[in-house]
Amino acid sequence: MSKDNKIQSTSIARQSRRGFLAAAGGLAASALAPAARAGGNPANQPPNVPEWTRSLGEGVAVRPYGKPSKFEKDVIRRDVEWLTASRESSVSFTPLHELEGIITPNGLCFERHHGGMADIDPADHRLMIHGLVERPLILTLDELKRYPRVNRIHFMECAANSGMEWRGAQLNGCQFTHGMVHCVQYTGVSLRTLLEEVGVKSNGKWLLVEGADSAAMDRSLPIEKALDDCIVAYKMNGEALYPEQGYPMRLVVPGWQGNLWVKWLRRIKVGDQPWQTREETSKYTDLLPNGKARRFTWVMDTKSVITNPSPQAPIKHGKGFTVLSGLAWSGNGKVKRVDVSLDGGRNWWPARLDGPVLDKALTRFYYEFDWNGQPLLLQSRAQDETGYVQPSKAELRKVRGYNSIYHNNGIQTWHVQANGEVENVEVA
Amino acid sequence: MASRPGTCRPTVRSRMLKSPELVVAFVLACLSGSAAFAGGSTELKGEAKPAPHYDIGRAPTPEEIRGWDIDVRPDGQGLPVGKGTVAQGEKLFMDNCATCHGEFGEGNGRWPVLAGGKGSLTADNPVKTVGSYWPYASTVFDYVRHAMPFGNAETLSVDDYYSLVAYVLYLNDVVTDQNFELNNKNLASIKMPNEAGFIMDDRATSEKAFWQKDPCMKDCIAPVKITGRATAVDVTPEDAKEGKSRGVE
């Protein structure tokens, strides 16, 4: 963030804080009792001593594997039944509007399966590497874990994230419009290490990567990317991969479309040409207005979304100091800046990046402002270190038409109404 | 040393450590940095086949590779020996595929449409099928053999898969003779109607305008109006609306 940006957002925050204090003063003077205003059970609120202060809680290890508070039961993955023909080849969405920071909890990472979630006994799982290599190799999970490890935090975004919005505003919530993304810390073995181990022959230019599930997902990966930053991962956020994320091992392809991140990875074959599999011909090709389609559109371009306020996270506190929170990411590198508009893209203000700003990872941004209760048209616009600026949907459609399905990174607009409710809209 | 592969690993080879001279070179390299290290590694260039760096895992047997190595490329590489006719495929399709894909590949409900849609790629609602969109017949074989029938993958014989692909090509008028036999010799020569319909990712040039020095901050566009609303479409799952709970805990 530039120095100017910093000064700008600090002064905005200071202004807003004054507004907030004024609003708080008004609240104290109100005739309503504080407890009644806050809702809940007055018996547990001051001046009373709540039940959890008077009695013992659960002891240790009552929950050998912890879960969130029961009061967080709405923080869950959701799906949209009408989207797909079956639950086994379908998608669920990360509840972005309930999360903060940049790390997605393992149990909330969106799912995308093509043949259901394989439930694999790691003792029976094998990773085979063969083809144009000097020394073909077959590894167990335990053997893979003996190789030197790397830890990397990366976002993983489905190429179809926001795909339902190409033709207009359709789903009401960032969980549905942007929730095919997650970001975790992966631990595993650099794919480069494994390829050096097997010795790729000089004509080895492509890898076929394939999963062990019933879809046997196979994709072609160019050798340059394979030798750059890909990982065969077996841990996420410190623990074993979850079955729905590819237990016991998956491919991590930083910055590239999620479809290439083959789960339940069982085979890597080195060849001299791409295979033109179903998932890179029929699917994950992007139809243009002239009837031609782009293929091998691997990189996920710069994108952002405001997660609060958003349709599932309306403003409930009324006028006053308001925290706007959002996520930005780029498959081309680090997020350099994020701007926020309150008037549908006419004027923009620099947002504040907070927390780590990592290569090809989710990045958290904030914009604090004093809401005067008037309707707003919120937008966020990310720029990455290559200079790429997140385009408007209109700009994207001008090049790509309406039938691309994939790679919709257009700017999202939320309409905040006077009552604090928020709606997914398009503006022009 | 071996327990710290990160420090001196890149050119360490187990065979190297068997030679006393090279062990000395290796230790020197580790102690004195990359210059000496580079000198040590040049001595390895004469080796025809360097041994593995880590010696973890084993070589798969030919049988193990054969069992999993079933992918097929457009040039026909990987096609198993086998054959099947359109007529044989029709029967197999009725028994194994038509429930979801329809008797003529027209698709039941939301299940994928396999045939038709020719000439629709510039239409408002393009119908992308094997005949109208897919560039290679090899992909049909590779995918069907890997993943179909849905829920019962890799259960049919190689000849059955040739027959099924022959029938799907017939449904799409790619082949027109009911007696046409598809086999490992002729599959790669089949031309699909939309083979030339694909271009490499060209975003770096066609979307060059998205790379900007100073994005506009003030009075960028005229005031905007709302032109579309998700609530008007009303297809969002109920429980997500207004943050209400699903009530099925």
Side-chain angles (χ1 to χ4, degrees):
Chain A
M1 182 190 267
S2 78
K3 204 176 160 194
D4 283 352
N5 291 354
K6 199 171 273 173
I7 290 163
Q8 186 102 59
S9 73
T10 310
S11 75
I12 287 167
R14 201 171 295 137
Q15 275 175 14
S16 306
R17 204 156 291 130
R18 274 201 295 274
F20 176 73
L21 291 174
L27 181 72
S30 120
L32 286 164
R37 264 192 94 99
N41 180 2
N44 285 327
Q45 296 172 13
N48 300 318
V49 177
E51 51 198 294
W52 46 81
T53 309
R54 285 181 277 111
S55 58
L56 293 172
E58 279 178 0
V60 297
V62 170
R63 308 176 198 207
Y65 195 103
K67 280 185 177 174
S69 160
K70 61 179 184 256
F71 301 105
E72 299 295 319
K73 64 181 166 55
D74 293 334
V75 185
I76 50 171
R77 295 187 284 227
R78 291 181 174 84
D79 70 336
V80 179
E81 278 193 62
W82 55 263
L83 268 182
T84 51
S86 80
R87 285 296 182 85
E88 293 79 19
S89 182
S90 193
V91 62
S92 68
F93 301 86
T94 307
L96 297 178
H97 61 292
E98 299 277 14
L99 304 178
E100 274 297 329
I102 67 167
I103 298 293
T104 315
N106 287 340
L108 295 176
C109 290
F110 83 97
E111 306 154 285
R112 173 55 168 127
H113 314 318
H114 294 75
M117 180 193 82
D119 191 11
I120 295 176
D121 182 342
D124 295 335
H125 187 79
R126 295 291 181 276
L127 173 62
M128 187 188 287
I129 309 177
H130 70 112
L132 298 176
V133 300
E134 301 291 347
R135 299 171 295 277
L137 188 64
I138 189 164
L139 294 173
T140 63
L141 176 64
D142 286 343
E143 286 164 346
L144 185 71
K145 287 179 175 173
R146 291 177 57 203
Y147 283 88
R149 295 168 198 174
V150 295
N151 293 290
R152 301 277 186 276
I153 296 173
H154 291 299
F155 77 82
M156 199 278 266
E157 184 184 18
C158 178
N161 200 19
S162 315
M164 294 85 75
E165 304 289 307
W166 268 111
R167 283 171 175 265
Q170 183 161 241
L171 287 160
N172 210 28
C174 68
Q175 179 167 21
F176 302 106
T177 57
H178 291 75
M180 283 194 251
V181 67
H182 55 66
C183 184
V184 307
Q185 183 180 54
Y186 293 99
T187 305
V189 181
S190 161
L191 181 53
R192 187 188 184 100
T193 299
L194 295 173
L195 292 175
E196 285 173 353
E197 185 76 0
V198 297
V200 175
K201 292 183 178 174
S202 59
N203 56 340
K205 299 296 178 203
W206 290 84
L207 269 57
L208 183 81
V209 288
E210 179 185 83
D213 60 318
S214 82
M217 167 77 64
D218 54 348
R219 283 291 307 253
S220 304
L221 182 72
I223 190 81
E224 294 80 11
K225 181 67 174 176
L227 291 173
D228 180 17
D229 57 359
C230 295
I231 303 166
V232 177
Y234 46 82
K235 300 269 188 187
M236 57 193 288
N237 290 333
E239 62 182 335
L241 294 181
Y242 278 22
E244 63 268 36
Q245 303 300 337
Y247 181 84
M249 55 183 79
R250 89 173 307 166
L251 194 64
V252 169
V253 191
W256 287 23
Q257 57 181 218
N259 185 258
L260 278 150
W261 298 47
V262 170
K263 298 190 282 192
W264 312 292
L265 181 71
R266 75 164 174 192
R267 191 165 71 102
I268 296 171
K269 180 181 181 179
V270 180
D272 59 355
Q273 291 172 31
W275 278 260
Q276 308 288 356
T277 69
R278 185 247 195 181
E279 302 285 327
E280 57 204 25
T281 54
S282 169
K283 307 295 176 188
Y284 304 96
T285 50
D286 314 344
L287 191 58
L288 298 168
N290 65 1
K292 300 270 182 189
R294 288 176 180 158
R295 72 168 114 213
F296 298 143
T297 46
W298 296 306
V299 174
M300 299 309 291
D301 278 323
T302 315
K303 189 165 174 176
S304 69
V305 65
I306 295 167
T307 53
N308 302 78
S310 65
Q312 295 157 285
I315 301 177
K316 289 175 175 165
H317 56 60
K319 293 179 195 179
F321 189 74
T322 301
V323 174
L324 181 153
S325 177
L327 289 167
W329 61 96
S330 167
N332 277 316
K334 287 179 181 166
V335 171
K336 189 166 80 180
R337 65 186 279 183
V338 179
D339 301 317
V340 167
S341 174
L342 307 180
D343 57 7
R346 183 166 162 78
N347 296 290
W348 296 87
W349 299 96
R352 180 169 65 82
L353 306 187
D354 192 88
V357 178
L358 302 172
D359 184 47
K360 306 178 185 81
L362 293 187
T363 301
R364 180 60 62 176
F365 69 85
Y366 294 104
Y367 178 79
E368 293 91 358
F369 69 106
D370 201 357
W371 185 42
N372 63 9
Q374 295 296 305
L376 304 170
L377 291 169
L378 300 180
Q379 296 185 342
S380 63
R381 180 183 70 187
Q383 184 175 31
D384 71 20
E385 61 185 347
T386 72
Y388 182 100
V389 178
Q390 184 184 0
S392 69
K393 289 181 183 174
E395 286 170 320
L396 277 180
R397 288 170 184 145
K398 221 167 113 186
V399 188
R400 305 187 195 168
Y402 291 80
N403 286 315
S404 280
I405 298 179
Y406 307 104
H407 291 284
N408 183 355
N409 65 321
I411 290 171
Q412 174 65 48
T413 310
W414 302 133
H415 176 219
V416 180
Q417 299 164 48
N419 64 3
E421 281 179 23
V422 184
E423 187 185 1
N424 174 14
V425 298
E426 294 240 350
V427 293
Chain B
M1 287 294 173
S3 64
R4 294 165 57 215
T7 38
C8 287
R9 185 188 56 79
T11 51
V12 177
R13 282 160 171 81
S14 59
R15 191 174 305 172
M16 176 178 163
L17 295 175
K18 284 175 188 152
S19 144
E21 266 177 48
L22 288 175
V23 169
V24 173
F26 173 63
V27 171
L28 279 175
C30 283
L31 291 175
S32 57
S34 56
F37 202 26
S41 69
T42 48
E43 292 181 49
L44 291 170
K45 279 188 178 164
E47 282 193 75
K49 264 195 179 177
H53 302 181
Y54 299 100
D55 198 23
I56 300 168
R58 62 171 173 86
T61 66
E63 289 74 23
E64 285 174 327
I65 294 179
R66 247 198 314 277
W68 283 6
D69 184 18
I70 62 167
D71 48 84
V72 173
R73 294 196 323 203
D75 63 1
Q77 192 193 83
L79 281 171
V81 175
K83 59 181 174 10
T85 66
V86 170
Q88 289 165 335
E90 180 175 13
K91 188 178 180 321
L92 285 161
F93 193 89
M94 296 311 149
D95 293 346
N96 296 285
C97 318
T99 318
C100 297
H101 294 297
E103 292 187 9
F104 303 100
E106 75 278 17
N108 280 334
R110 290 197 56 84
W111 296 103
V113 180
L114 302 184
K118 218 170 278 177
S120 72
L121 297 183
T122 55
D124 232 23
N125 287 298
V127 180
K128 298 192 286 182
T129 70
V130 168
S132 71
Y133 192 66
W134 291 38
Y136 306 107
S138 62
T139 309
V140 188
F141 189 90
D142 181 70
Y143 178 65
V144 172
R145 192 180 177 213
H146 263 112
M148 289 289 124
F150 190 65
N152 208 17
E154 298 195 37
T155 52
L156 302 178
S157 73
V158 165
D159 284 353
D160 287 349
Y161 285 120
Y162 275 109
S163 310
L164 281 170
V165 173
Y167 182 65
V168 171
L169 295 176
Y170 178 80
L171 287 176
N172 281 287
D173 303 318
V174 175
V175 300
T176 48
D177 180 359
Q178 285 219 33
N179 298 314
F180 175 80
E181 181 195 273
L182 188 69
N183 57 50
N184 52 301
K185 296 232 168 60
N186 66 9
L187 191 145
S189 65
I190 286 171
K191 279 274 169 227
M192 300 293 277
N194 196 43
E195 180 175 341
F198 295 83
I199 59 166
M200 270 304 286
D201 181 1
D202 66 345
R203 282 176 289 177
T205 50
S206 63
E207 297 178 359
K208 217 171 176 174
F210 298 163
W211 279 264
Q212 294 169 31
K213 253 211 158 114
D214 296 300
C216 174
M217 298 297 284
K218 202 169 152 37
D219 298 328
C220 301
I221 48 171
V224 293
K225 284 200 172 100
I226 293 172
T227 55
R229 295 171 179 271
T231 49
V233 184
D234 197 26
V235 289
T236 309
E238 279 300 317
D239 100 282
K241 292 174 187 171
E242 301 161 89
K244 278 176 192 154
S245 79
R246 180 172 289 211
V248 291
E249 293 306 312

